[in-house]
Amino acid sequence: MNVELDEVWSKLEVWPEYLLGSRPMRVDLLIKKDRDLVIHKNIGQIFRTYNFLEYKAPDDYISVDDFYKVYAYACKYIADTGSTGEVAPGEVTITFICNHYPVKMLQSIAEDREIYAVKREEGIYDLLGDPFPMQLILIYELTKEKNYWLQSLRSNITDPEEIRNLAEHYEEYQDEVLYSDIMNAIVNANWNMFEEEKAMCKCEALRRLFEPDIQAAAEAAAKNATDNMRKQDISICIGRFRKMQISRNEVVKIIAEDYSMNEKEAQNCVDECWTA
């Protein structure tokens, strides 16, 4: 290249064996299925043998950079199978899942790649015009009837009735880890609404949902009260020892023995109360 481009070489920036990225390439989810397996669920109807999924949190967006990143992962996967042509592009699918319609991303791939979004049904858009079958799933457009839990995974829940409905649905699955993870994500994304409904105590299912938190808060409050009483008692004892003109080091030993502390804990207590 240096010889062939000699006239302009000095004006170019060149990095031999340039490292593409500082972190390992990692897609959010890869699903592999047998070719003969038919998936009837709407979000999985597009699936072929190798299926890449990119998920964005409720407040995040899919950018054109995200599109090319996942697209590159799919290409890299094909290239690294070990055998030339082992994986055909038609056997690879890409799914983008988000809460916001990616206007700029779709405009960019339409202009640059002639890939267009065509609505298949509520919340699901096919991205047509590429060898890879691709789809865009908009969580907020999905219906409760077909995708109850996925459409609930968003941060704009404002209807108290929907909060109570979620709690009632969750009761049936509250001992299953998968549903617990989903519910935690939903609660964290809509914390203020859940806190408000919990405070109102309008729903028995919601009270049971928050029961572990309520119990933990009660235990913490009880422990805090006990600790405060113990601290006050220790402070009184140290004050009395000072009036009796007992040395500071001796008081540390007495406090450590009477209150089952190690020497450092006792020292801290005495230091705090001695100067109070």
Side-chain angles (χ1 to χ4, degrees), residues 44-226:
Q45 290 175 0
I46 193 178
F47 286 179
R48 307 292 173 83
T49 307
Y50 308 95
N51 308 281
F52 291 81
L53 288 84
E54 175 78 359
Y55 167 78
K56 288 296 181 183
D59 294 326
D60 205 352
Y61 292 79
I62 291 178
S63 68
V64 68
D65 288 345
D66 293 320
F67 173 86
Y68 283 113
K69 177 190 71 174
V70 181
Y71 196 96
Y73 290 173
C75 293
K76 185 72 165 59
Y77 187 84
I78 292 175
D80 285 349
T81 54
S83 301
T84 302
E86 181 178 334
V87 177
E91 289 301 311
V92 175
T93 75
I94 298 175
T95 297
F96 299 96
I97 305 173
C98 63
N99 271 275
H100 304 278
Y101 191 79
V103 176
K104 291 183 178 179
M105 184 273 278
L106 292 177
Q107 286 177 343
S108 178
I109 63 174
E111 294 171 3
D112 299 335
R113 301 284 301 277
E114 296 186 355
I115 297 173
Y116 301 97
V118 177
K119 190 171 185 177
R120 188 197 319 158
E121 63 173 88
E122 292 301 315
I124 302 179
Y125 296 77
D126 291 312
L127 303 181
L128 304 178
D130 191 89
F132 290 150
M134 294 185 284
Q135 66 178 351
L136 169 67
I137 297 176
L138 294 179
I139 290 176
Y140 69 92
E141 287 188 2
L142 295 172
T143 65
K144 290 182 174 64
E145 292 73 25
K146 291 187 177 182
N147 306 97
Y148 183 82
W149 289 105
L150 186 56
Q151 65 84 33
S152 297
L153 199 58
R154 59 189 201 277
S155 59
N156 61 345
I157 298 178
T158 57
D159 184 1
E161 184 60 35
E162 185 172 2
I163 296 288
R164 293 190 285 271
N165 188 263
L166 269 164
E168 290 168 358
H169 270 74
Y170 177 63
E171 274 199 298
E172 183 180 350
Y173 307 102
Q174 60 184 344
D175 295 327
E176 299 183 30
V177 175
L178 289 177
Y179 286 88
S180 176
D181 289 343
I182 294 173
M183 197 62 183
N184 285 337
I186 296 171
V187 171
N188 289 333
N190 300 274
W191 182 253
N192 290 337
M193 280 298 300
F194 274 89
E195 278 284 284
E196 182 179 330
E197 283 304 298
K198 181 183 73 172
M200 297 298 289
C201 290
K202 295 178 180 178
C203 172
E204 181 63 27
L206 194 60
R207 283 199 296 271
R208 285 193 289 270
L209 170 64
F210 279 96
E211 190 171 351
D213 292 337
I214 295 171
Q215 181 64 29
E219 291 174 358
K223 183 179 183 303
N224 187 52
T226 301

